[in-house]
Amino acid sequence: MAVITQVSLGVSDCERAARFWAAALGYVRRPPRYPGDEWIVLAPPPGVPGTALAMDLSESPAEAFPRVHLDLTAGARNLDGEVDRLVGLGARRVDWPHYPAQLEPGASPYVVLADTEGNRFCVAGRPRAR
């Protein structure tokens, strides 16, 4: 059976995107695979599960409504705190018209953001206690 080993993002500034995603996910940069390798690949630190994330130079603009995107979880942080952290790293909030009017039972609230390259991603988690 096939297994996803890496997700690749098209970006216009590989270094900027790599800095953002490394800080956002706590990932580390893998060494180049061969001399002249221009792909930047980030992976979880040794012993930490997760899928690698690669950045490749692209001239295509980011899609406003992408067919594929990353879904993140806020983990132990509340959703608002994690969104604020990601925005502080360079993400930006997206005016997303497709938020559900009401969440399904058991579903977590989520926020749609764009990375430094405009690639959309979602962050789900528990809301801040009121």
Side-chain angles (χ1 to χ4, degrees), residues 26-28 30 43-51:
Y27 277 21
V28 295
R30 286 186 185 164
V48 176
T51 300

Side-chain angles (χ1 to χ4, degrees), residues 13 25 30 33 57 86 90 93 95 101 107 123 125:
D13 186 330
L25 301 173
R30 286 186 185 164
R33 297 165 295 180
L57 198 57
L86 293 166
R93 294 173 185 271
D95 184 17
V123 184

Side-chain angles (χ1 to χ4, degrees), residues 30-109:
R30 286 186 185 164
R33 297 165 295 180
Y34 52 85
D37 183 8
E38 294 182 7
W39 282 72
I40 294 177
V41 179
L42 304 174
V48 176
T51 300
L53 186 64
M55 269 67 43
D56 184 33
L57 198 57
S58 174
E59 294 179 7
S60 300
E63 298 175 14
F65 300 99
R67 293 178 69 166
V68 175
H69 65 272
L70 300 178
D71 285 340
L72 309 182
T73 179
R77 294 185 74 132
N78 67 59
L79 178 58
D80 301 322
E82 184 61 6
V83 167
D84 290 345
R85 184 184 78 84
L86 293 166
V87 169
L89 294 172
R92 65 178 173 77
R93 294 173 185 271
V94 172
D95 184 17
W96 192 250
H98 301 295
Y99 286 116
Q102 184 173 352
L103 289 173
E104 295 178 18
S108 295

Side-chain angles (χ1 to χ4, degrees), residues 6-17:
Q6 175 176 295
V7 174
S8 301
L9 293 176
V11 299
S12 60
D13 186 330
C14 293
E15 292 292 337
R16 177 178 63 191

